[in-house]
Amino acid sequence: MRGPNSNLRRDVPEASLRRLPIYYRSLQEMLLSGVAQVSCADLARILGLDPTQVRKDIEMTGIVGKPRVGYPLGDLVRWIENFLGWNRPKTAVLAGAGSLGSALLGYEKFRSHGMLIIAAFDIDPDKIGQRIHGREVQPLMFLPDFVRQAHTLVGVIATSAAAAQSVTDLMVSAGIRAIWNFAPAHIQVPERVILQNEDLYHSLASLSFKLESKMGVTPTGNGISYAEDN
Amino acid sequence: MRGPNSNLRRDVPEASLRRLPIYYRSLQEMLLSGVAQVSCADLARILGLDPTQVRKDIEMTGIVGKPRVGYPLGDLVRWIENFLGWNRPKTAVLAGAGSLGSALLGYEKFRSHGMLIIAAFDIDPDKIGQRIHGREVQPLMFLPDFVRQAHTLVGVIATSAAAAQSVTDLMVSAGIRAIWNFAPAHIQVPERVILQNEDLYHSLASLSFKLESKMGVTPTGNGISYAEDN
DNA sequence: CTCATATCGAGAAAGTTTTATCGAGAAAGT
DNA sequence: ACTTTCTCGATAAAACTTTCTCGATATGAG
Ligand SMILES: NC(=O)c1ccc[n+]([C@@H]2O[C@H](COP(=O)([O-])OP(=O)(O)OC[C@H]3O[C@@H](n4cnc5c(N)ncnc54)[C@H](O)[C@@H]3O)[C@@H](O)[C@H]2O)c1
Ligand SMILES: NC(=O)c1ccc[n+]([C@@H]2O[C@H](COP(=O)([O-])OP(=O)(O)OC[C@H]3O[C@@H](n4cnc5c(N)ncnc54)[C@H](O)[C@@H]3O)[C@@H](O)[C@H]2O)c1
């Protein structure tokens, strides 16, 4: 009942999902350098993480290791791929062929991680008809039919923030089941749709705060004194 | 000893740092629509979060609210800005003027969040000399002198993954104290340097996994059966 | 062959984050 | 003026994540 393949995909901590790609990348580099076996302790040493944490994360994929040896490297890489779904290609459509959208369209590595952006849509007449990395930008109004015909499940939002919600709604009504949102907007989706926000401001806030903390800047220097004048 | 301005910047959960920008954005939108007062409960309703969590996050900025009223909206926005350091401009340099680097250079909103990318560097002779969004791409070897003269503390990595570590080392040796890394590489920095990784694969893994979980795909379909052949 | 050592896997403990509860105080209605 | 209602701020409880501990087992040395 609890064999290596009876992985239930339940209760996977978000934190583990964030670490698995890091392991995956390191493991692939090792693969190139000809390593055959790897232990959690090895990985932990390389990445500066806790060995137990690495083991717990890897256990989630369902792979079973051998004491004193670890895991066959090739197998481990495939188990992670399989667990994350990176070995099962998914098509995606992109809305918003601006600077960011173009960069995403040209990003070949998505393909090797199971994500194929097969079409781009925009509303700007100057953009429509342009070819960007081999795909012709289409009018946004063609998106629903395209999605239905290609059975596409993933939609990438790279429009302005103002347009994000309406484009999302259009995608969802066409059958999209997961939204990857790069616009800095709080968008709403039905329960059944996955929403993944890629918010640069998260990072920017964290970076800015930590840098100032480390450099000794206090956040008291701009004359705000709300509590005094109540 | 515990007044609104004696904010110690200690023990701030990473999760809170990630949520504050979301509040900030919503609050700014409210500001535009003329709202004057806002309560944590309001924010929580709008964003679909727990009111207590919102209150805890906002408390961290040091602002003091009034029962039954909440916070003056303008003040709250400024307290968050001040807490995150977004009202204190920081200069940054960018390495790697490719598709992503160009998009980042052209992204005006960084400026209003305290982050000014003032120069771009590359090693590709074809890139060097090009003007991208008003900044001329310079040879990477000029970076250290530039950083020292401009007293720049932040470095943005948008090079290939293979170059990320060496470019980081160059930046760090020139005095950079925070690295914002967009390359999918595990880079190492000294203790004193902040490292913020912007890893698309985190999101991709999460999206892919959740989509498949929701759509009922089991990760057992690719014939891996490592445990059998031991 | 036996022993020492390293690692897995599982469960317990510790730490952190999120959610619930409660008293106090400010505003609005009676 | 009094009561009701809502929200802040603080504390407590619950849930989750990370770290620690331990027994089992495979490998390599003696
Ligand atoms: N450029 C960056 O580095 C960067 C970084 C992080 C986030 N972002 C965000 O990504 C989004 C795109 O950024 P960008 O720099 O590419 O901007 P951009 O202005 O270059 O591109 C936006 C594109 O979206 C299109 N668009 C607008 N409304 C649309 C609609 N309703 N349907 C379809 N297309 C529509 C526009 O025509 C344009 O082509 C923005 O929300 C931005 O905040 C950008
Ligand atoms: N394009 C995307 O959508 C995207 C998304 C996420 C992450 N990334 C990552 O961002 C990085 C850049 O991506 P890109 O699509 O812009 O690639 P790109 O090839 O267009 O640009 C890379 C640039 O870096 C320069 N470069 C290489 N080595 C350098 C060095 N040692 N010093 C200075 N510059 C150097 C190259 O000359 C080139 O101009 C990559 O690591 C990529 O994996 C890209």
Side-chain angles (χ1 to χ4, degrees):
Chain A
M1 197 44 121
R2 203 170 40 69
N5 278 344
S6 72
N7 186 327
L8 288 176
R9 299 184 89 95
R10 297 259 173 271
D11 297 329
V12 178
E14 190 66 31
S16 298
L17 280 181
R18 255 181 276 129
R19 282 187 298 262
L20 279 171
I22 299 172
Y23 305 156
Y24 180 80
R25 187 184 303 146
S26 272
L27 293 170
Q28 276 199 318
E29 284 169 15
M30 280 187 227
L31 207 54
L32 292 176
S33 52
V35 181
Q37 299 277 329
V38 68
S39 72
C40 295
D42 293 340
L43 250 187
R45 251 187 310 277
I46 292 170
L47 297 173
L49 297 174
D50 185 272
T52 313
Q53 186 173 65
V54 174
R55 194 172 312 128
K56 278 238 187 300
D57 291 336
I58 286 179
E59 265 179 51
M60 282 194 322
T61 65
I63 193 171
V64 176
K66 284 187 194 173
R68 179 65 204 255
V69 176
Y71 312 86
L73 183 43
D75 286 1
L76 182 50
V77 168
R78 283 193 296 276
W79 274 84
I80 294 177
E81 262 175 5
N82 189 46
F83 181 77
L84 296 176
W86 283 356
N87 60 342
R88 286 177 290 278
K90 294 158 198 59
T91 58
V93 291
L94 180 137
S99 339
L100 183 64
S102 301
L104 293 174
L105 278 171
Y107 198 41
E108 286 304 327
K109 286 184 187 166
F110 285 154
R111 191 167 294 269
S112 53
H113 292 76
M115 185 63 61
L116 285 70
I117 304 181
I118 55 172
F121 300 86
D122 208 300
I123 45 160
D124 184 346
D126 293 345
K127 292 270 162 54
I128 293 168
Q130 274 187 25
R131 291 192 79 77
I132 298 180
H133 293 104
R135 272 142 300 189
E136 187 175 332
V137 179
Q138 302 177 52
L140 183 68
M141 60 187 298
F142 289 4
L143 186 144
D145 276 347
F146 186 96
V147 164
R148 272 186 280 263
Q149 284 181 21
H151 297 102
T152 299
L153 296 177
V154 180
V156 182
I157 307 274
T159 65
S160 60
Q165 182 68 62
S166 71
V167 172
T168 297
D169 294 344
L170 186 75
M171 285 178 170
V172 168
S173 68
I176 288 289
R177 299 300 293 273
I179 298 282
W180 199 0
N181 174 40
F182 287 81
H186 177 259
I187 62 183
Q188 294 190 300
V189 294
E191 177 73 42
R192 69 175 185 285
V193 176
I194 311 286
L195 173 62
Q196 184 72 41
N197 288 304
E198 196 69 46
D199 194 338
L200 280 196
Y201 296 110
H202 294 173
S203 289
L204 187 50
S206 188
L207 185 84
S208 173
F209 180 86
K210 288 177 188 166
L211 179 61
E212 296 202 340
S213 297
K214 192 153 266 185
M215 302 299 289
V217 177
T218 60
T220 64
N222 71 344
I224 290 180
S225 61
Y226 159 62
E228 311 302 334
D229 57 13
N230 65 334
Chain B
M1 198 45 119
R2 203 168 39 71
N5 277 344
S6 73
N7 186 328
L8 288 176
R9 300 183 89 96
R10 296 259 173 273
D11 297 327
V12 178
E14 190 67 30
S16 297
L17 280 180
R18 257 181 276 129
R19 283 186 298 261
L20 279 170
I22 300 172
Y23 304 157
Y24 181 80
R25 188 184 302 146
S26 271
L27 293 169
Q28 276 199 318
E29 284 169 14
M30 280 187 229
L31 207 55
L32 292 176
S33 52
V35 181
Q37 299 278 330
V38 69
S39 72
C40 295
D42 294 339
L43 250 186
R45 251 188 309 277
I46 291 169
L47 296 173
L49 297 174
D50 184 273
T52 313
Q53 187 173 64
V54 174
R55 195 174 310 130
K56 276 236 189 302
D57 292 336
I58 286 180
E59 265 179 52
M60 283 193 323
T61 65
I63 193 171
V64 176
K66 283 187 194 173
R68 181 65 206 254
V69 177
Y71 311 87
L73 182 45
D75 287 0
L76 182 50
V77 168
R78 283 193 296 276
W79 273 85
I80 294 176
E81 260 174 7
N82 188 46
F83 180 76
L84 296 176
W86 284 356
N87 60 340
R88 288 178 288 278
K90 294 158 197 60
T91 58
V93 291
L94 179 138
S99 341
L100 183 64
S102 301
L104 293 174
L105 279 171
Y107 197 41
E108 287 304 327
K109 284 183 188 166
F110 285 155
R111 193 167 293 269
S112 54
H113 292 77
M115 186 63 60
L116 285 71
I117 303 181
I118 55 172
F121 300 86
D122 208 302
I123 44 161
D124 184 346
D126 293 345
K127 291 270 162 54
I128 294 168
Q130 275 187 24
R131 291 192 78 77
I132 298 179
H133 294 103
R135 273 142 300 189
E136 187 175 330
V137 179
Q138 302 176 52
L140 184 68
M141 60 185 299
F142 289 4
L143 186 144
D145 276 346
F146 185 96
V147 164
R148 272 186 280 264
Q149 285 181 20
H151 297 101
T152 299
L153 296 176
V154 180
V156 182
I157 307 275
T159 65
S160 60
Q165 182 69 61
S166 71
V167 171
T168 297
D169 294 344
L170 186 75
M171 286 179 170
V172 167
S173 69
I176 287 289
R177 299 300 294 273
I179 298 281
W180 198 1
N181 174 39
F182 288 81
H186 177 257
I187 62 183
Q188 294 190 298
V189 295
E191 177 74 41
R192 69 175 186 285
V193 176
I194 311 287
L195 173 61
Q196 183 73 42
N197 288 304
E198 196 69 47
D199 194 338
L200 280 196
Y201 296 110
H202 294 173
S203 289
L204 187 51
S206 188
L207 185 84
S208 173
F209 180 85
K210 288 177 189 166
L211 179 61
E212 295 203 341
S213 298
K214 192 153 267 185
M215 303 299 288
V217 178
T218 60
T220 64
N222 72 342
I224 290 180
S225 62
Y226 159 60
E228 311 303 331
D229 57 14
N230 63 331

